[in-house]
Amino acid sequence: MVSSEKPPSYLVRVMECKQGAVRAVRFNVDGEYCLTCGSDKSVKLWNPHKGTLLHVYAGHGYEVLDARGSCDNSLICSCGMDKSVMIWNVSTGESMRKFRGHAARVNCLAFNEESTVILSGSMDGTVRVWDLRSRRYDPIQILDEAKDSVMTVQVSTPLILTASLDSYTRIYDLRNGQLISNCIGEGVTCASFSGDGQCVLTSTMNSSLKLMDKDTGELLSQYSGHISKDYKVESCFTQSDTHVLSGSEDGNVYCWDLVQSTLASRLQHKGSSVVHSLSPHPSQPFLLTASLGQVWLWSSHSTEDDECS
Amino acid sequence: MSDSDDDEDFAYYGTPVEQLDEDESIPRKAPRLEDQIAKDKQGRRRFHGAFTGGFSAGYFNSVGTKEGWTPSTFVSSKGQRAETKRVKPQDFMDDEDLGVFGISPQVIQATSNFDSNRDQVQRKRVLDPSGPIPGIPVLEEILRPASETVGVKLLRRLGWRPGQGVGPRVSRQQKRLSKKEKKRMYGCQGPQGGDVGNNSSDGDSCDSDNNTESKITFAPDDVDTLLLPQAKHNTFGMGYIPLDRTPVLGVAASLLNPTPLSFTEKKKKVLIRGQAFGVGAFEDVDDDIYATEDMSIYDFGEDKKQNSEKRDKNAYSQQDKAMFGLTEALKGFKLSSKPHNCIKSYPWPTLPSDFIPLHKPRRRRFERKENELQGLGRHDMTVKQRARSIEEQPKAVVEIRSGVKGYTPKVPPQNVMQKKSEKTLDTSEVDQLYEEFKSSEKKLGSDFKPFSKDPEKQKRYELYLRMKEKGQKGQFYLAQPRGMTEWEKEREVREFARAAQLFQPLTTTMATRFVTASVSDALPQLKDGLNVNVPKVDKTNAGSEEIALLARDTDDDQMKAARMKMYGQMTQTTQDWYPDRLLCRRFNVPNPFPESSFVGLRKTKKEKFSLFGMMNAEIEDTAGLQKPRHKSEQKIDVEEATHQEDGILEDHPETYGLKVPVDGPPTMDLFKAIFQDSDSDTDDDDKKTDDTKPTHKNVEAYHGTANLLPQKLTVLDENEENKSPVTEIQEDPVSRFLSSIRSDQGKQNNADNVTEKRKIDGRRKRVSRFEPQAEDGVHNIQYPNCPSLEPSISIQDSSQSTEQSNFRADLPKPVFVPKKKESVATKPTPSKGIFANVDFSALNSLWNSEASSSQETSTLNNIDQIQPKPGVENSLAEVKGAAHREVDSDSSTDPESEYGPAVPSHLRHQAQMVRSVPTTSVDLVQKLGEKHREKLNYSGWVEKNEGKEKKASKKHKHRDKHKHKKEKRKKEKKSKSHKEKKKKKKKQKHISSSSSSDSSPQSSE
């Protein structure tokens, strides 16, 4: 069933972040703002719809690899190659806490739904769960089942989804106390739940994008055309789950119809070679992509429509 | 006036004596010496004390004033800094001391600048080399302060100028004359001579000028200063030069000092000069009294002689020649004056007797010995040593071996030790607690005993670990002895916590990263090393090895499957995972394991493969009487009941064993299943799984689905429970459930069964926790202990009678049977959203067909291939009759068009399905076929059924592979004793179970 929802295909804005390479770009919880993680050790808070820089959070010791905003927009959590996870006060810009414990660089982050817990996945093969309510500085739990670098952590409330380079995706079911691990066959660079939580989209290193059933681990669909071999290229669903998006190492973002797995569109990023980070707007058809030092905002409506509205 | 004139004429010298008053009586006597006392200005006695040498100081021998001396206080403020005071000696002196006669008379003195003694100045310069140019300033050499004697001063007053002579002024003529005189004269007669000369030369030198110049007078020439050789400083007699030792270089050759005496003293050549002896006053011998007797003329023995020899070269050479016996030289030659210097040769040094010609490098302080490098020393110890040191039986290694090899450890040594220690120690409370917590019998953090020196402490530590395991660390203080202070208790707890952290089993950190080769992961309790309860695994070496082998390949197989895009059951594993309870709270999720404080993943065997390995191992020797492999589940209570369970399971042989060969000649299909090329077989099977069974749980992961099996089985039992043995080997839980069900029906009233039932009840309860809530209703109804099975059936739709018949047919046969959509009782999490209406399987199949042609064929011919393949079900089908066959045929009649990728057609079918579900006829259901089973429509009920069959098919797939292995191993290892024993056991089991299994096929027939 193909919905009439159009994938984001119009370029709205390109923002030069001026923070070295942008390692990741993330919408905040309501999609009003976005965070960019720079290789110059800073996290920047933007209003992507206006293209304005709001704040710079500096304090990491090395490149920042991922950042997330909490559900109440009061906190920003970032992680990076300095093996630490930092919590920032959004308004004051000061770092509130710093969690140390990972043995290698921290690749990815996720808040839980209430932002009481942070999950951080690291190259040391562990996901550490840090408590924000208490003043503990040691993790609540360490999910060390992965045998290689953990690339993605996602939370969908009773479930924690991790993807690691040992070619497994793992779903930790908190309610049932189960760990469901699925072998994908290649190092998984990105995995994400679909909007309805029934499917898992996995990007692997051999340029393939697979839609898997969450429960059975069966292959539902496969998307190809993009290139993902060397980098941590992210993929995502559109907010309405009609399309599947993936970055590519040829400077495009590929957009497939989810059901028919046909290539719907290609978002060309002129002048950039690798588009590695994607962030779909949580509710509206916007898409943020990051190539080298730039962040691109895409919309499903043309800019004229936006201006009219 | 005359008087005054007279007075004026007198010259007065000195001070006049004061006039005496007439009233005063003049003392007649001069005061005695004792009475003469020195007094100060105030009339106080100045000297007093011992021998009147001491003098008084200050105020009545106190200090300073009447009030005494107040010490100065150090005061320093911001505005007024305290200055460093330099205290002079005068500060401590009285006025008297400063007077003329005091210690420090304040008289006018020439300052050091004008002091002739320049040493002080020089010293100052040295002390203060602040100038840019080092050394004494040049100007200071030149400009010297005037130091005039009084005589010179007086002379100046009298008009004398330096350079002039003293005396009346003379005319020029006279002066000229005196100069001439000087030339002739010598010595000190100058002045007189000058006068004389003046007189004589006056006339001839200046005649004409005399008149004018005679009035001008000149100062006489200065007298030449007498050249005195040296002032006399010493107290020796006149002319005596004392002995003076000077080093050789210090000798200044002078005429006055003839050759000094030279000799060496302490290897230094020293010259002594001077006169040694004076001339005695009474000596007459002295001929020349003025002759200076020099030291050098005296003979000082050998040295002197050499000295003299040197002085007399000829004599020396002569002597030398004589010494060498050379008195004459050849004609034309001359004897050399120099002695012949031959090359000196030295003998080799003699080696000391204890010398070892081996170089030992010096060991540095910070270098560590090799054995030190190994760490704390505990690694050096063998197991026995270590065990001895901690006074227990060596356990870890032995137990591992025993676990593998199959002989059972008699008693868990850990327990023995504990009991022993409990007996010896009479800290009753601790024991009590210990007992309490020992029952949990979890593996401790490690087998390393950090407090083995103090057994009581070690015990407390273990208790602590157990409490920690249970999450009741708070109670630990109860176990601590009363004698301890709070501080000590706290400290101990902290110490334990640290130790527990420090000696965490290696497995948690490292073992996840590596696969151990020798000790198989499959053995569930070996993971921590502290392996207490090794289950009585009656397995042969071969079997366990196979398991290990397979376990190692787990990842590979999964990877292979993933590469072949056979996602699903092949690539999925489900394990129990224990979330931290705080994590659950943070996620607002109830803790799935509320009574366990274990966190993480229990590292158990790789279940999937150990299962198959086990099955294959047993197929050979027991012909289907497979000894079940228990412990597949991670439930804690199940683990507790392990031993009990073992016994029970052994008593109940696998009723799903290979019955076909027993009953009659094996069908061709069986051989096919065994010996056929596994590729096509597996491909087909896997394809089936891919295409048709979207919702497979892992075979052994029964958490969510285990309770569904009994349901299925009850259905089976109702009509054809006897058929169950015909099916392929199933996993333990299945058999357990079967047997339990059988026992429920009262066909077998063994005590074993009763216990088993009880156990299963417990299991059921546990399982239900993992069950999604939605299934509770179904679950309750299908509870295996239900007295009557009718409700479980009656709950089904009336239209499902055909379904039931299908299931009856399905269960025993390992064939794939299409999933029954109609059997949907409840769906825990029906898929919503966009996928609700999408047939993924169909899409998937499309994709797969595109991907590989070979797979495509298998996919398309799925049913056709399946049907003839496994012979078992064929035979069964015959046995079972028409209904069953109908099902098969129906499933095979699936139109190929149904696989079409076109979404609209699927949707149409789905719509049909949805509509037709309540009133489905068999035909319709089977027409729809498995391709249209949608994820959201399956029921756990049916799913489980499929899962079981999947198992069966999988077994087919694996069997041949393992069979070969098995045979090989059999040949290699002829450990007959074990196997025979085992076989016997199994036969017994078989016999015991045969009552049920034998009867079942007959009854079915």
Side-chain angles (χ1 to χ4, degrees), chain A residues 70-304:
Chain A
S70 68
C71 64
D72 56 355
N73 285 330
S74 67
L75 300 177
I76 286 174
C77 180
S78 64
C79 64
M81 286 167 74
D82 58 355
K83 307 175 191 174
S84 65
V85 176
M86 287 180 84
I87 310 293
W88 307 87
N89 188 327
V90 170
S91 52
T92 63
E94 63 197 8
S95 79
M96 296 168 68
R97 302 182 77 176
K98 192 166 190 176
F99 295 112
R100 298 178 170 282
H102 278 295
R105 70 186 204 196
V106 189
N107 286 325
C108 49
L109 279 180
F111 274 107
N112 69 337
E113 213 165 33
E114 296 182 335
S115 297
T116 53
V117 149
I118 296 174
L119 295 100
S120 62
S122 161
M123 209 164 80
D124 62 3
T126 63
V127 172
R128 281 167 202 254
V129 187
W130 310 94
D131 192 10
L132 290 182
R133 283 265 173 85
S134 67
R135 300 296 295 170
R136 275 172 68 173
Y137 275 91
D138 47 338
I140 297 175
Q141 189 169 4
I142 301 174
L143 319 179
D144 58 351
E145 282 73 38
K147 295 177 183 63
D148 204 340
S149 175
V150 178
M151 301 307 280
T152 317
V153 177
Q154 204 190 355
V155 175
S156 166
T157 276
L159 307 176
I160 299 168
L161 170 68
T162 69
S164 66
L165 286 183
D166 63 353
S167 74
Y168 276 83
T169 58
R170 293 181 173 79
I171 297 172
Y172 298 86
D173 191 340
L174 279 162
R175 192 182 294 279
N176 296 327
Q178 280 186 343
L179 165 62
I180 304 160
S181 35
N182 282 299
C183 182
I184 306 297
E186 276 285 335
V188 189
T189 57
C190 186
S192 49
F193 280 122
S194 61
D196 62 352
Q198 290 303 306
C199 300
V200 175
L201 182 69
T202 57
S203 304
T204 54
M205 295 289 278
N206 58 352
S207 304
S208 82
L209 189 63
K210 297 187 178 71
L211 185 69
M212 318 288 285
D213 188 279
K214 182 201 75 179
D215 295 320
T216 63
E218 287 178 11
L219 181 66
L220 301 176
S221 188
Q222 186 158 355
Y223 312 96
S224 57
H226 67 300
I227 301 169
S228 166
K229 289 192 165 85
D230 301 322
Y231 297 96
K232 182 198 173 192
V233 174
E234 295 174 353
S235 59
C236 63
F237 292 92
T238 55
Q239 44 92 20
S240 55
D241 278 344
T242 52
H243 290 82
V244 162
L245 297 157
S246 172
S248 173
E249 291 172 20
D250 58 1
N252 292 318
V253 166
Y254 285 74
C255 178
W256 294 272
D257 187 281
L258 180 130
V259 177
Q260 292 170 337
S261 58
T262 52
L263 187 62
S265 65
R266 260 186 354 185
L267 315 184
Q268 199 172 0
H269 293 61
K270 277 175 188 162
S272 53
S273 56
V274 178
V275 183
H276 57 274
S277 182
L278 303 179
S279 180
H281 194 284
S283 55
Q284 287 171 308
F286 284 109
L287 175 72
L288 275 175
T289 61
S291 63
L292 187 60
Q294 297 164 326
V295 166
W296 307 59
L297 177 66
W298 304 81
S299 167
S300 63
H301 314 293
S302 63
T303 50
E304 291 82 37

Side-chain angles (χ1 to χ4, degrees), chain B residues 989-1001:
Chain B
K989 272 183 266 168
H990 183 52
I991 289 159
S992 66
S993 66
S994 61
S995 59
S996 65
S997 59
D998 286 345
S999 61
S1000 53

Side-chain angles (χ1 to χ4, degrees), chain B residues 24 262 273-274 389 506-507 583 685 709 718 797 860 882 890:
Chain B
E24 280 186 21
S262 81
R273 66 181 170 193
S389 70
L506 189 68
T507 47
L583 188 62
D685 287 352
L709 275 171
E718 187 195 18
D797 278 359
L860 293 174
D890 282 335

